[in-house]
């Protein structure tokens, strides 16, 4: 990666949508929207609701499916001068194995993000990420079928994320991607209905930053894995905070809705923010949170 | 990219508020694209902009606003929007003062398809009159004849500029404070007998469903402009997707907001979704 600022999965689509508006080649990497074995229809509308400092979504993994990703999306990204990471989500371990095997040798990809933490699907999703054993089984299945480095995307909505991270590490993941959206509910006090068609959704945006930072810090201390940290990253100061907590790279998601070019702006402002924190480069900051005096 | 290519695509740019007109329940905002924004394409009627409402990080989502008017002349692109204050974002926009700058992304989506239409029927409810008033002015320019049925809750909500249109305009208000008492659809059964090449409808979901049903029944192709909450506005996040006829997914920001009425599933509940294009 040419730098540590990446576009998070989900908010940047398949990168093709963003490409006419922003210069993606400036970024460290783009993590594509999660794909499933078959194309996904997603959840009933409404699917989004703005909250203070963030938003709830219940998209429900609507996606083109792995076949179209390989046949149409990846070839269309051939001219893109940045690292491309695919994100995969399965309902079963078998699904993950299938996805991994289809992406083995598909070209264009530098790594896989293994999404075991989507809160918006009935099967799979966060149910895997809640369980150390299930997470390890998924990681093993993906590793057996694909030689690309893996980053497991975990949820903070578990009792002890560091134990899930350790299980993923033992199963051979190359790194971690933290965090997915946090399960939430918004209610219309007049109609008494939930704001989202799927009733509950996943919270993202600046409101979840403290939760994300703690998850990064916990996993950094528990494992020696490289971490892509994100959750409410809005400016270069946020990026530095994630690095201090232990993130080697920082992902920008919901903030791109306000400003599609936000990740590039963070990148521009990053050297000054790193200098302000008293370091001469991002690597010196990783995990350098001062907790003793 | 050449300049022409840039000018055909949606762009991110800053715009300065030139003036505001408080039109009762709604506010008319007129913007000029900031100098240096480059060549910007004027929107087609029915296309929209994602307008940034917050300069901080408390409110991250832009609000989709259909263009009420536009001109792309030597002075650069000028855009106007009708804003109905229904939530935080639109309230924030309603507080803008001349000289204030906001971020725009657009023009986005697919507007009304008018190719081959010689005689048009426009049906609007509430703030849905904004894109249709823009369409009506464009039809005036190209010499297409039309009838425009526009319904509002009360006189203070009536869309400005309707008197200046050359087509036949019938205003309805629910309380009878201007025009005929009733809603726009009340005028439909009779006017449909005159025959039209196409109908263009924008308003609350129930109103569009009723209008589409009547137009389809009369054999008149009907285009409707859907409202949906949006995040990206460019088809990336799939947050605005609605279920269409036959279970097909309609990505409102990318494939719409204007759809053939037969593509839309009118059975979906509408509670909890916002009013027409906040």
């Amino acid at each position: 990666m040419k730098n540590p600022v990446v576009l998070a999965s989900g908010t940047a689509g398949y990168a093709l949508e963003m490409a006419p508006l922003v210069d993606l080649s400036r970024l460290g990497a783009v993590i594509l929207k999660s794909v499933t074995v078959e194309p996904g229809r997603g959840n009933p509308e409404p699917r989004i609701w703005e909250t203070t400092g963030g938003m709830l979504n219940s998209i429900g993994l609507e996606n083109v499916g792995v076949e179209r990703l390989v046949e149409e999306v990846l070839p269309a990204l051939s001219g893109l001068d940045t690292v491309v990471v695919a994100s995969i989500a399965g309902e079963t371990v078998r699904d993950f194995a299938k996805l991994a095997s289809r992406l083995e040798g598909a070209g264009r990809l530098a790594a896989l993000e293994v999404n075991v933490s989507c809160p918006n699907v009935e099967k799979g999703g966060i149910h895997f990420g809640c369980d150390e054993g299930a997470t390890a089984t998924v990681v093993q299945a993906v590793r057996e079928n694909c030689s690309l480095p893996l980053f497991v995307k975990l949820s903070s909505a578990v009792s002890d994320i560091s134990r899930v991270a350790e299980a993923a590490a033992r199963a051979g993941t190359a790194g971690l991607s933290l965090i997915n959206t946090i399960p939430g509910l918004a209610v219309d006090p007049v109609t008494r209905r939930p704001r989202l068609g799927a009733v509950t959704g996943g919270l993202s945006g600046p409101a979840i930053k403290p939760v994300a930072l703690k998850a990064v810090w916990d996993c950094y201390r528990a494992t020696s894995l490289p971490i892509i940290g994100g959750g409410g990253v809005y400016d270069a100061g946020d990026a530095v905070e994630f690095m201090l907590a232990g993130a080697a790279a920082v992902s920008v998601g919901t903030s791109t809705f306000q400003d599609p070019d936000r990740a590039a702006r963070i990148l521009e402002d990053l050297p000054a923010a790193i200098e302000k924190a008293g370091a001469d480069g991002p690597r010196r900051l990783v995990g350098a949170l001062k907790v003793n005096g | 990219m050449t300049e022409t290519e840039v000018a055909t695509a949606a762009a991110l740019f800053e715009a300065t508020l030139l003036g505001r007109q408080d039109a009762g329940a709604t506010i008319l905002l007129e913007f000029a694209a900031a100098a240096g924004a480059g060549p910007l394409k004027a929107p087609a009627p029915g296309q929209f902009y994602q307008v940034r409402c917050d300069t901080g990080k408390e409110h991250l989502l832009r609000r989709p606003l259909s263009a009420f008017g536009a001109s792309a002349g030597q002075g650069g692109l000028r855009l106007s929007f009708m804003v109905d204050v229904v939530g935080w974002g639109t309230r924030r926009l309603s507080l803008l003062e001349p000289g204030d700058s906001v971020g725009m992304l657009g023009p986005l989506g697919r507007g009304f398809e008018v190719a081959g239409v010689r005689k048009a029927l426009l049906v609007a409810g509430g703030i849905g009159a904004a894109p249709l008033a823009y369409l009506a002015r464009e039809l005036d320019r190209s010499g297409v004849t039309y009838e425009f049925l526009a319904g509002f809750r009360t006189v203070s909500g009536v869309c400005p500029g309707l008197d200046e249109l050359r087509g036949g305009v019938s205003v309805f208000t629910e309380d009878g404070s201007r025009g005929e008492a009733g809603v726009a659809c009340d005028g439909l059964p009779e006017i449909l007998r005159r025959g039209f090449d196409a109908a263009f409808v924008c308003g609350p979901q129930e109103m569009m469903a009723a209008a589409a049903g009547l137009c389809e029944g009369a054999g008149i192709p009907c285009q409707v402009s859907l409202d949906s909450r949006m995040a990206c506005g460019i088809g990336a996040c799939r947050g605005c997707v609605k279920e269409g006829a036959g279970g097909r997914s309609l990505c409102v920001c990318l494939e719409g907001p204007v759809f053939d009425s037969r593509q839309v599933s009118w059975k979906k509940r509408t509670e909890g979704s916002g009013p027409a294009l906040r």
Side-chain angles (χ1 to χ4, degrees):
Chain A
M1 284 195 339
K2 56 183 101 172
N3 64 65
V5 178
V6 313
L7 287 181
S9 180
T11 49
Y14 302 105
L16 300 164
E17 302 90 335
M18 303 280 285
L21 293 174
V22 303
D23 182 5
L24 297 171
S25 71
R26 296 175 65 189
L27 304 177
V30 179
I31 309 177
L32 307 180
K33 190 165 173 48
S34 292
V35 290
T36 47
V37 174
E38 298 298 329
R41 291 180 45 88
N43 281 329
E45 79 232 30
R47 292 176 169 186
I48 52 177
W49 179 254
E50 191 181 59
T51 60
T52 307
M55 66 181 286
L56 274 176
N57 89 77
S58 62
I59 312 293
L61 294 181
E62 179 184 338
N63 76 93
V64 298
V66 71
E67 209 49 48
R68 268 184 72 194
L69 182 84
V70 172
E71 296 296 329
E72 295 173 29
V73 176
L74 296 182
L77 294 175
S78 60
L80 189 63
D81 179 26
T82 190
V83 167
V84 177
V85 177
S87 172
I88 56 174
E91 290 184 1
T92 61
V93 175
R94 213 180 139 83
D95 280 356
F96 277 104
K98 268 191 204 166
L99 290 159
S101 133
R102 188 67 186 91
L103 292 171
E104 168 70 16
R108 196 60 195 89
L109 296 174
L112 289 189
E113 183 178 84
V114 182
N115 180 358
V116 291
S117 46
C118 178
N120 293 323
V121 289
E122 279 179 27
K123 291 182 190 161
I126 203 168
H127 304 295
F128 283 115
C130 282
D131 185 290
E132 295 151 53
T135 300
T137 310
V138 168
V139 170
Q140 275 155 9
V142 176
R143 279 193 71 209
E144 281 162 16
N145 287 279
C146 186
S147 57
L148 291 167
L150 312 184
F151 284 77
V152 183
K153 185 155 189 176
L154 297 181
S155 172
S156 64
V158 295
S159 50
D160 187 354
I161 192 172
S162 62
R163 292 181 59 169
V164 186
E166 283 166 352
R170 284 194 298 273
T173 191
L176 302 171
S177 180
L178 308 171
I179 59 173
N180 211 317
T181 58
I182 301 171
L185 170 68
V187 174
D188 183 330
V190 178
T191 65
R192 296 162 45 166
R193 287 181 180 278
R195 298 286 192 182
L196 297 175
V199 184
T200 60
L203 184 66
S204 62
I208 72 167
K209 194 180 77 174
V211 179
L213 282 169
K214 180 175 184 296
V216 170
W217 176 239
D218 287 347
C219 292
Y220 176 78
R221 284 189 303 165
T223 73
S224 54
L225 295 173
I227 296 170
I228 303 170
V233 173
Y234 185 83
D235 55 30
D238 295 333
V240 167
E241 290 178 36
F242 273 91
M243 289 171 182
L244 288 169
V250 174
S251 60
V252 185
T254 304
S255 298
T256 58
F257 292 146
Q258 188 189 61
D259 177 6
D261 218 9
R262 185 132 289 277
R265 288 184 191 210
I266 289 172
L267 195 56
E268 265 167 36
D269 297 341
L270 195 55
I274 288 172
E275 203 187 320
K276 243 183 177 174
D280 55 7
R283 278 182 197 161
R284 295 286 175 92
L285 284 180
V286 177
L289 186 67
K290 293 180 181 174
V291 286
N292 298 314
Chain B
M1 268 198 278
T2 66
E3 278 193 2
T4 344
E5 280 174 317
V6 171
T8 56
L12 274 166
F13 60 97
E14 292 290 315
T16 306
L17 187 69
L18 291 178
R20 50 175 292 157
Q21 230 183 86
D22 291 76
T26 57
I27 297 144
L28 173 61
L29 298 176
E30 292 183 82
F31 293 93
L40 296 171
K41 191 191 170 207
Q47 284 192 301
F48 69 96
Y49 287 77
Q50 281 281 73
V51 183
R52 184 173 163 158
C53 299
D54 192 5
T55 48
K57 53 174 116 166
E58 284 174 27
H59 293 266
L60 295 175
L61 301 187
R62 291 172 177 239
R63 297 300 192 268
L65 296 179
S66 280
F68 170 67
S71 65
Q74 283 193 326
L77 179 67
R78 294 201 171 183
L79 292 167
S80 58
F81 301 95
M82 298 276 307
V83 177
D84 193 7
V85 178
V86 293
W88 189 91
T90 46
R91 187 169 307 114
R92 185 68 171 256
L93 291 174
S94 76
L95 299 175
L96 290 174
E97 294 292 342
D100 288 348
S101 177
V102 295
M104 300 261 177
L105 167 60
L108 296 167
R110 259 181 19 168
F112 297 106
E113 183 54 68
V114 293
V117 174
R118 304 305 310 155
K119 194 179 174 194
L121 175 62
L122 281 56
V123 190
I127 198 73
L132 290 178
Y134 181 27
L135 175 65
R137 288 194 299 275
E138 291 297 303
L139 295 178
D140 281 341
R141 279 184 0 151
S142 50
V144 174
T145 59
Y146 61 88
E147 288 292 329
F148 189 174
L149 307 182
F152 305 92
R153 196 157 291 152
T154 182
V155 63
S156 66
V158 175
C159 174
L162 293 180
D163 296 336
E164 292 139 42
L165 297 174
R166 279 184 237 144
V169 178
S170 310
V171 171
F172 296 79
T173 50
E174 286 174 32
D175 61 2
S177 53
R178 184 167 159 196
E180 291 178 49
V183 295
C185 285
D186 293 344
L188 265 179
E190 190 181 321
I191 210 160
L192 279 171
R193 289 192 217 131
R194 298 192 207 170
F196 295 91
D197 298 324
F200 304 93
V201 182
C202 186
Q205 179 97 347
E206 298 80 357
M207 171 259 170
M208 290 198 289
L214 288 166
C215 293
E216 286 168 22
I220 296 168
C222 180
Q223 297 174 32
V224 294
S225 179
L226 299 188
D227 173 37
S228 189
R229 290 193 216 127
M230 290 181 190
C232 74
I234 55 173
C237 74
R238 316 301 291 180
C240 65
V241 168
K242 291 184 175 242
E243 188 183 323
R248 191 178 155 252
S249 291
L250 307 177
C251 186
V252 176
C253 73
L254 193 68
E255 302 169 293
V258 177
F259 292 93
D260 182 313
S261 60
R262 290 165 299 185
Q263 291 178 279
V264 179
S265 168
W266 298 107
K267 282 170 265 167
K268 304 296 290 182
R269 70 174 177 86
T270 54
E271 290 95 329
S273 64
L277 294 175
R278 289 146 291 171

PDB file of all heavy atoms in Angstrom, chain A residues 14 43 77 97 121 234 241 257 282:
ATOM      1  N   TYR A  14     -18.434  -0.635  -5.485  1.00  0.00           N
ATOM      2  CA  TYR A  14     -17.378  -1.434  -6.109  1.00  0.00           C
ATOM      3  C   TYR A  14     -16.290  -0.521  -6.690  1.00  0.00           C
ATOM      4  O   TYR A  14     -15.653  -0.850  -7.679  1.00  0.00           O
ATOM      5  CB  TYR A  14     -17.971  -2.341  -7.187  1.00  0.00           C
ATOM      6  CG  TYR A  14     -19.037  -3.252  -6.632  1.00  0.00           C
ATOM      7  CD1 TYR A  14     -20.379  -3.001  -6.885  1.00  0.00           C
ATOM      8  CD2 TYR A  14     -18.703  -4.327  -5.816  1.00  0.00           C
ATOM      9  CE1 TYR A  14     -21.372  -3.816  -6.343  1.00  0.00           C
ATOM     10  CE2 TYR A  14     -19.684  -5.138  -5.269  1.00  0.00           C
ATOM     11  CZ  TYR A  14     -21.009  -4.884  -5.541  1.00  0.00           C
ATOM     12  OH  TYR A  14     -21.981  -5.682  -4.991  1.00  0.00           O
ATOM     13  N   ASN A  43     -32.311  -5.811   2.149  1.00  0.00           N
ATOM     14  CA  ASN A  43     -33.448  -5.704   3.055  1.00  0.00           C
ATOM     15  C   ASN A  43     -34.525  -4.767   2.522  1.00  0.00           C
ATOM     16  O   ASN A  43     -34.276  -3.961   1.637  1.00  0.00           O
ATOM     17  CB  ASN A  43     -32.960  -5.191   4.412  1.00  0.00           C
ATOM     18  CG  ASN A  43     -32.321  -6.293   5.236  1.00  0.00           C
ATOM     19  OD1 ASN A  43     -32.708  -7.457   5.129  1.00  0.00           O
ATOM     20  ND2 ASN A  43     -31.327  -5.940   6.034  1.00  0.00           N
ATOM     21  N   LEU A  77     -11.811  -2.766 -12.994  1.00  0.00           N
ATOM     22  CA  LEU A  77     -10.910  -2.067 -12.067  1.00  0.00           C
ATOM     23  C   LEU A  77      -9.451  -2.217 -12.484  1.00  0.00           C
ATOM     24  O   LEU A  77      -8.551  -1.782 -11.762  1.00  0.00           O
ATOM     25  CB  LEU A  77     -11.089  -2.608 -10.639  1.00  0.00           C
ATOM     26  CG  LEU A  77     -12.452  -2.347  -9.987  1.00  0.00           C
ATOM     27  CD1 LEU A  77     -12.529  -3.035  -8.624  1.00  0.00           C
ATOM     28  CD2 LEU A  77     -12.689  -0.854  -9.828  1.00  0.00           C
ATOM     29  N   ALA A  97     -16.009 -20.863   1.877  1.00  0.00           N
ATOM     30  CA  ALA A  97     -15.053 -21.663   1.117  1.00  0.00           C
ATOM     31  C   ALA A  97     -15.246 -21.449  -0.385  1.00  0.00           C
ATOM     32  O   ALA A  97     -14.290 -21.267  -1.137  1.00  0.00           O
ATOM     33  CB  ALA A  97     -15.227 -23.141   1.473  1.00  0.00           C
ATOM     34  N   VAL A 121     -28.049  -9.304   8.469  1.00  0.00           N
ATOM     35  CA  VAL A 121     -28.524 -10.498   7.774  1.00  0.00           C
ATOM     36  C   VAL A 121     -28.947 -11.539   8.804  1.00  0.00           C
ATOM     37  O   VAL A 121     -28.409 -11.584   9.913  1.00  0.00           O
ATOM     38  CB  VAL A 121     -27.436 -11.084   6.838  1.00  0.00           C
ATOM     39  CG1 VAL A 121     -27.228 -10.159   5.641  1.00  0.00           C
ATOM     40  CG2 VAL A 121     -26.114 -11.291   7.559  1.00  0.00           C
ATOM     41  N   TYR A 234     -13.162  10.699  10.565  1.00  0.00           N
ATOM     42  CA  TYR A 234     -13.661  11.885   9.866  1.00  0.00           C
ATOM     43  C   TYR A 234     -12.520  12.801   9.418  1.00  0.00           C
ATOM     44  O   TYR A 234     -12.591  13.440   8.392  1.00  0.00           O
ATOM     45  CB  TYR A 234     -14.610  12.656  10.780  1.00  0.00           C
ATOM     46  CG  TYR A 234     -15.287  13.842  10.130  1.00  0.00           C
ATOM     47  CD1 TYR A 234     -16.436  13.661   9.367  1.00  0.00           C
ATOM     48  CD2 TYR A 234     -14.781  15.139  10.276  1.00  0.00           C
ATOM     49  CE1 TYR A 234     -17.065  14.745   8.766  1.00  0.00           C
ATOM     50  CE2 TYR A 234     -15.406  16.225   9.683  1.00  0.00           C
ATOM     51  CZ  TYR A 234     -16.548  16.020   8.929  1.00  0.00           C
ATOM     52  OH  TYR A 234     -17.168  17.085   8.329  1.00  0.00           O
ATOM     53  N   GLU A 241      -5.515   8.925  16.001  1.00  0.00           N
ATOM     54  CA  GLU A 241      -6.038   8.224  17.185  1.00  0.00           C
ATOM     55  C   GLU A 241      -6.087   6.717  16.939  1.00  0.00           C
ATOM     56  O   GLU A 241      -5.723   5.921  17.815  1.00  0.00           O
ATOM     57  CB  GLU A 241      -7.444   8.742  17.525  1.00  0.00           C
ATOM     58  CG  GLU A 241      -7.454  10.168  18.058  1.00  0.00           C
ATOM     59  CD  GLU A 241      -8.870  10.670  18.328  1.00  0.00           C
ATOM     60  OE1 GLU A 241      -9.721   9.865  18.760  1.00  0.00           O
ATOM     61  OE2 GLU A 241      -9.137  11.865  18.097  1.00  0.00           O
ATOM     62  N   PHE A 257     -19.903   9.862   2.723  1.00  0.00           N
ATOM     63  CA  PHE A 257     -21.223  10.303   2.256  1.00  0.00           C
ATOM     64  C   PHE A 257     -21.331  11.823   2.327  1.00  0.00           C
ATOM     65  O   PHE A 257     -21.977  12.442   1.500  1.00  0.00           O
ATOM     66  CB  PHE A 257     -22.342   9.662   3.096  1.00  0.00           C
ATOM     67  CG  PHE A 257     -22.465   8.181   2.889  1.00  0.00           C
ATOM     68  CD1 PHE A 257     -22.840   7.362   3.932  1.00  0.00           C
ATOM     69  CD2 PHE A 257     -22.218   7.604   1.651  1.00  0.00           C
ATOM     70  CE1 PHE A 257     -22.978   5.993   3.751  1.00  0.00           C
ATOM     71  CE2 PHE A 257     -22.348   6.234   1.455  1.00  0.00           C
ATOM     72  CZ  PHE A 257     -22.721   5.420   2.517  1.00  0.00           C
ATOM     73  N   PRO A 282       3.913   7.423  10.121  1.00  0.00           N
ATOM     74  CA  PRO A 282       2.790   6.677  10.693  1.00  0.00           C
ATOM     75  C   PRO A 282       3.226   5.448  11.486  1.00  0.00           C
ATOM     76  O   PRO A 282       2.622   5.114  12.500  1.00  0.00           O
ATOM     77  CB  PRO A 282       1.955   6.289   9.469  1.00  0.00           C
ATOM     78  CG  PRO A 282       2.766   6.594   8.267  1.00  0.00           C
ATOM     79  CD  PRO A 282       3.809   7.582   8.655  1.00  0.00           C
TER      80      PRO A 282
END
